[in-house]
Amino acid sequence: MFISFEGTEGVGKTTLIRRIHAYFTAQGQLVVLTREPGGTPMAEQIRALLLSVNHEEKMCSDTELLLMYAARAQHLDQVILPALAAGKTVLCDRFSDASFAYQCAGRGLSESKLLTLNNNFVARMPDLTFWLDAPIELGMTRARARGALDRFEQEKATFFEKVKGGYQTLWQRHPERVKRLDATQSPDQVFAQAMHYL
């Protein structure tokens, strides 16, 4: 099974994904825990480029989108598809839904660009996607408490409201795959919500 975890900053994706990883491992299943952008040495280098706040020039939205998909193509080829072929469960912190939410809804890029990339470079979509939904300010308070903010985390609240709207659109379009979790609740309650769907 291929499960992705989505949401804006500071909603608790990492906490949930670790608990589900521990749950599957305790069941004796072989589980791969990975993330996007990143997941392979090369894709992690692209991640560093995407998240850095120290660029001398402003990264244009098309460059951001293409870098995301360059990392994703490498990640699929080297990690996700081989793991699934070997019968392993893959837990991924963000996947292509994040590109719709951040680059299309957030940045305002045409959805047709995303569809072209998905159709050509995404051979497999998740079987199940957990969207952790919480008020933007709650998530940003948590993100700020973690320390220095990356390039995305430094965006204004209006940007993240658009991103959240993008996730809501995906949830409405794909209710069979995308499951909304109330991330304002405690970690135990969020985990219980996820286990209900699992």
Side-chain angles (χ1 to χ4, degrees):
M1 194 159 54
F2 180 16
I3 307 171
S4 62
F5 298 74
E6 299 283 354
T8 50
E9 314 308 311
V11 292
K13 293 190 314 313
T14 303
T15 300
L16 178 61
I17 201 170
R18 285 177 180 161
R19 288 193 66 169
I20 291 180
H21 179 264
Y23 169 80
F24 277 131
T25 301
Q27 302 296 314
Q29 294 193 39
L30 296 173
V31 190
V32 173
L33 180 58
T34 189
R35 69 177 183 178
E36 288 210 347
T40 80
M42 189 180 294
E44 288 291 333
Q45 289 181 321
I46 298 172
R47 177 188 179 90
L49 191 61
L50 280 160
L51 300 188
S52 174
V53 296
N54 298 318
H55 297 300
E56 292 181 6
E57 58 188 307
K58 186 178 188 297
M59 185 181 294
C60 85
S61 297
D62 283 339
T63 299
E64 183 179 275
L65 178 68
L66 291 168
L67 283 172
M68 287 289 183
Y69 274 83
R72 184 163 295 134
Q74 189 70 11
H75 191 207
L76 276 162
D77 183 74
Q78 296 294 307
V79 176
I80 296 174
L81 296 178
L84 293 171
K88 298 175 182 177
T89 294
V90 175
L91 307 178
C92 191
D93 188 339
R94 299 196 193 283
F95 194 63
S96 60
D97 291 323
S99 292
F100 176 83
Y102 279 77
Q103 280 76 54
C104 292
R107 302 284 189 219
L109 291 180
S110 164
E111 193 173 341
S112 65
K113 291 181 178 181
L114 192 80
L115 290 172
T116 296
L117 291 168
N118 279 343
N119 289 338
N120 285 279
F121 301 108
V122 179
R124 173 74 185 267
M125 285 294 286
D127 301 299
L128 180 63
T129 297
F130 289 125
W131 167 40
L132 283 79
D133 183 23
I136 298 303
E137 190 48 48
L138 174 63
M140 290 312 298
T141 299
R142 291 174 180 170
R144 284 190 287 267
R146 292 193 303 238
L149 301 179
D150 65 33
R151 192 173 66 85
F152 285 98
E153 291 169 342
Q154 290 184 5
E155 290 287 347
K156 293 181 171 60
T158 51
F159 171 77
F160 289 113
E161 289 294 350
K162 292 176 187 174
V163 172
K164 182 176 177 176
Y167 280 125
Q168 182 159 358
T169 297
L170 289 169
W171 174 54
Q172 291 166 339
R173 282 185 191 174
H174 308 287
E176 72 294 338
R177 175 176 66 85
V178 181
K179 305 302 181 184
R180 179 188 173 273
L181 306 182
D182 180 357
T184 64
Q185 297 186 328
S186 71
D188 286 346
Q189 290 170 313
V190 173
F191 178 67
Q193 291 176 72
M195 291 307 298
H196 166 76
Y197 291 114
L198 283 171

